[in-house]
C-alpha cells in the first residue's frame, strides 16, 4: 500500500545519476546532496585567477582510508526469494503500482530492468512472476539486519545509504591486519581488480592495504551469506565515491578492488557526467546547456562556467568528483531522524478517501513506532496536489503531537490512530480547501523530532527528586 520515501531518499540522489526520473518529478537539491553524498569541496582545482579551465586535481594522494561499499543484489527480489526459494529459478519482478521497482537476475537476462513499466516488462518477459513490493516491512527488517551485522562484526563506522547499501570504513581493521601480517609483502587481492593492467606507482603502502581490504570485504560477503542468506556486491577503494563506483563493475554477487592509479581510468570509463552520484536529471540539463556531456568534459570545463551556474561549493565538489576525489567521512548511521510512510495514487478527490489513506498510513507507522521505542513529538503531513500548471506541487504542514498522546507512547500504548487522526485532520485542513474541488496524487505522513523514552521518564524522575523550592512550591 504505502511506499516509503525517507530511507530511500538519500539513495535516490545517487541513483538519479543513472536513472531517468520515473514520474517526472524534479526534487533534486544540490546543497543537500553536497552535505550528504558528494565529496566536500577542495579548491585545489581553482587556478590562481580563480577562473581556470585546467583539470588541476589529477588524483587524490591520500590513500590512508579503506572503504568498502556493499550493495545487495536485487534487494527486494532477493528478500522475496529468501521467503519463497522456488522463485529463485523463475524470472521475478517486484511491483509497486505499475512499475517494476526491481527484478531478479533471471528476469534481467530477458531484458527486464529496474524501474520499467509493468507493460514493457511483460513484453520483454511474458512469463515474469510478479510479487507486490508495497509492504516494506520485510525489506526494512533485512536492511537492519545487514547493517547490524556489518557494525557488530567489522566496524562501528557504517553508513547506510537507502535500504540496501552500506559504506563501511575498515581503516582500523586493515591497519591491524597489515601489522599482524608482518613482512609478508605480497597479499592477494580477492575478487576482481579494476583495470589490473594499469601501471601503478604509489609507495605509501596502499596496495597492501587495498589487498587486505579486499579480503575483509570477501569475509563480509561470506558472513552476510552464511548468517542471513543474502548476497551482494562490494567495492573496495580509499574513498566512498570510488568504492561505490568500482563495486558496480562486477554484478551480481561479486567484488572489485580499485588500486591507486586506476581512478582516472575508472572515472573516464563511466562516460556520461550523470553517472556521477548526485548529478541528477535537472543538474545534468544545466551541464548539457554548458556543453558538458561526459566526465571528461566536466574535468576540463572552465571552472568559472561551473561556478556561475552551480556556485563555488557545488562546482568545486562536482569537479573533484569527476576526478574521483572524495574526502567525506563515513558517518555512522544513527537511528532515523524521522519515520514516514506515503501513498501515491492517480487521484484522491474526497475527504473520505483522504481520511482512509491517512488512517492506513498511521496504522503502519504506529506499528513501526512500537518497535522503534522512541517518542515522536512532531507529525508532518505532506500532500502532492495536481494542477495542470504545476503538476508536482508538494506542500507540508506540521504540528505538535499532544502530550496526552506522547505520554501514552511513553507507557507503551500504541492504539493511537484516532488521536493522531485528529492532528492530521487539522493539518489537512490547512493544506486543502475541502469546500472546493481538489485533486491529490500523494499523501505522506511523517513522525519526527524523536525523544528517547528514558528522557521523558528521567525528566519525571528529576522533577520529583528536585527540592520543593525548585518546583515553584515555596
Ligand atoms: P537498487 O540497489 O538500485 O537495486 P537492486 O538492489 O534491486 O538491484 P541491484 O542488484 O542492481 O543492486 O535498489 C534497492 C532496492 O530499492 C530495490 O530492490 C527496490 C528498491 N527501489 C525502489 O523502491 N525504488 C526505486 O526507484 C529503485 C531503483 C529501487
Ligand atoms: Mg542493490
Amino acid at each position: 500500500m504505502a511506499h516509503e520515501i525517507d530511507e530511500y531518499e538519500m539513495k535516490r540522489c545517487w541513483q538519479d545519476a543513472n536513472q531517468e526520473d520515473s514520474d517526472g518529478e524534479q526534487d533534486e537539491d544540490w546543497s543537500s546532496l553536497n552535505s550528504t553524498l558528494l565529496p566536500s569541496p577542495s579548491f585545489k582545482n581553482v587556478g590562481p585567477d580563480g577562473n581556470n579551465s585546467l583539470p588541476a586535481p589529477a588524483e587524490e594522494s591520500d590513500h590512508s582510508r579503506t572503504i568498502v561499499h556493499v550493495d545487495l543484489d536485487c534487494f527486494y527480489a532477493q528478500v522475496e526469494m529468501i521467503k519463497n526459494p522456488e522463485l529463485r529459478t523463475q524470472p521475478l519482478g517486484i511491483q509497486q503500482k505499475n512499475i517494476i521497482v526491481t527484478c531478479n537476475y533471471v528476469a534481467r537476462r530477458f531484458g527486464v530492468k529496474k524501474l520499467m513499466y509493468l507493460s514493457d516488462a511483460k513484453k520483454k518477459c511474458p512469463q515474469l512472476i510478479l510479487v507486490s513490493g508495497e509492504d516494506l516491512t520485510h525489506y526494512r527488517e533485512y536492511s537492519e539486519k545487514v547493517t547490524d551485522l556489518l557494525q557488530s562484526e567489522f566496524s562501528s563506522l557504517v553508513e547506510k545509504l537507502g535500504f540496501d547499501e552500506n559504506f563501511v570504513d575498515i581503516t582500523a581493521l586493515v591497519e591491524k591486519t597489515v601489522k599482524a601480517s608482518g613482512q609478508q609483502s605480497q597479499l592477494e587481492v580477492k575478487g576482481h581488480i579494476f583495470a589490473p593492467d594499469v601501471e601503478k606507482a604509489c609507495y605509501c603502502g596502499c596496495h597492501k592495504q587495498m589487498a587486505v581490504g579486499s579480503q575483509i570485504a570477501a569475509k563480509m560477503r561470506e558472513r552476510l551469506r552464511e548468517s542471513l542468506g543474502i548476497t551482494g556486491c562490494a567495492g573496495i577503494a580509499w574513498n566512498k565515491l570510488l568504492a561505490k563506483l568500482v563495486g558496480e563493475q562486477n554484478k551480481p554477487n561479486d567484488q572489485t578492488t580499485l588500486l591507486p592509479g586506476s581512478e582516472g581510468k575508472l572515472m573516464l570509463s563511466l562516460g556520461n557526467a550523470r553517472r556521477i552520484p548526485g548529478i541528477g536529471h535537472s543538474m545534468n540539463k544545466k551541464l548539457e546547456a554548458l556543453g558538458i556531456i561526459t566526465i571528461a568534459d566536466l574535468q576540463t570545463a572552465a571552472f568559472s562556467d561551473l561556478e556561475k551556474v552551480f556556485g563555488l561549493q557545488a562546482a568545486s565538489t562536482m569537479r573533484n568528483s569527476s576526478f574521483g576525489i572524495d574526502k567525506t567521512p563515513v558517518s555512522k548511521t544513527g537511528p532515523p531522524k524521522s519515520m514516514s510512510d506515503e501513498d501515491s495514487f492517480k487521484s484522491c478527490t474526497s475527504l473520505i478517501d483522504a481520511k482512509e489513506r491517512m488512517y492506513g498510513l498511521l496504522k503502519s507507522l504506529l506499528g513501526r513506532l512500537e518497535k522503534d521505542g522512541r517518542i515522536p513529538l512532531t507529525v508532518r503531513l505532506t500532500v502532492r496536489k495536481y494542477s495542470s500548471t504545476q503538476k508536482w506541487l508538494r506542500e507540508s504542514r506540521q504540528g505538535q503531537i499532544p502530550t496526552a498522546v506522547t505520554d501514552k507512547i511513553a507507557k507503551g500504548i500504541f492504539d493511537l490512530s484516532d488521536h493522531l487522526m485528529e492532528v492530521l485532520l487539522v493539518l489537512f485542513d490547512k493544506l486543502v480547501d475541502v469546500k472546493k474541488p481538489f485533486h491529490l496524487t500523494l499523501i505522506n505522513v511523517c513522525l519526527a523530532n524523536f525523544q528517547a523514552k528514558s528522557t521523558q521518564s528521567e525528566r519525571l524522575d528529576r522533577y520529583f527528586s528536585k527540592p520543593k523550592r525548585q518546583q515553584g512550591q515555596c
Side-chain angles (χ1 to χ4, degrees), residues 365-394:
L365 276 175
L366 284 165
R368 284 167 59 194
L369 198 61
E370 191 166 356
K371 287 188 195 146
D372 184 273
R374 293 173 299 158
I375 305 161
L377 302 183
T378 311
V379 60
R380 186 169 63 237
L381 178 68
T382 304
V383 296
R384 186 171 61 196
K385 294 177 185 172
Y386 179 85
S387 80
S388 47
T389 44
Q390 284 179 297
K391 281 189 181 163
W392 310 107
L393 187 68
R394 277 178 190 247

Side-chain angles (χ1 to χ4, degrees), residues 234-335:
I236 303 97
W238 54 98
N239 70 41
K240 282 160 59 178
L241 176 72
L242 293 171
K244 177 170 167 71
L245 292 173
V246 81
E248 289 167 6
Q249 297 295 313
N250 294 287
K251 288 170 78 168
N253 192 17
D254 215 331
Q255 65 176 68
T256 315
T257 302
L258 188 70
L259 295 176
S262 302
E263 63 270 39
K265 187 163 183 182
L266 173 66
M267 293 312 299
L268 291 176
S269 75
L270 301 174
N272 200 291
R274 260 202 94 167
R275 295 290 307 279
I276 293 178
I279 297 185
H281 181 77
S282 64
M283 193 172 291
N284 194 46
K285 282 263 163 296
K286 289 179 191 162
L287 284 173
E288 278 173 5
L290 291 173
I292 299 167
I293 312 295
T294 64
I295 290 177
D297 295 340
L298 187 53
Q299 290 179 344
T300 51
F303 187 80
S304 54
D305 286 350
L306 293 176
E307 194 187 345
K308 237 177 269 157
V309 177
F310 301 104
L312 179 64
Q313 171 156 352
S316 182
T317 302
M318 201 181 278
R319 171 87 100 194
N320 279 342
S321 303
S322 72
F323 287 100
I325 295 173
D326 174 10
K327 302 214 180 294
T328 53
V330 172
S331 23
K332 198 172 166 171
T333 302

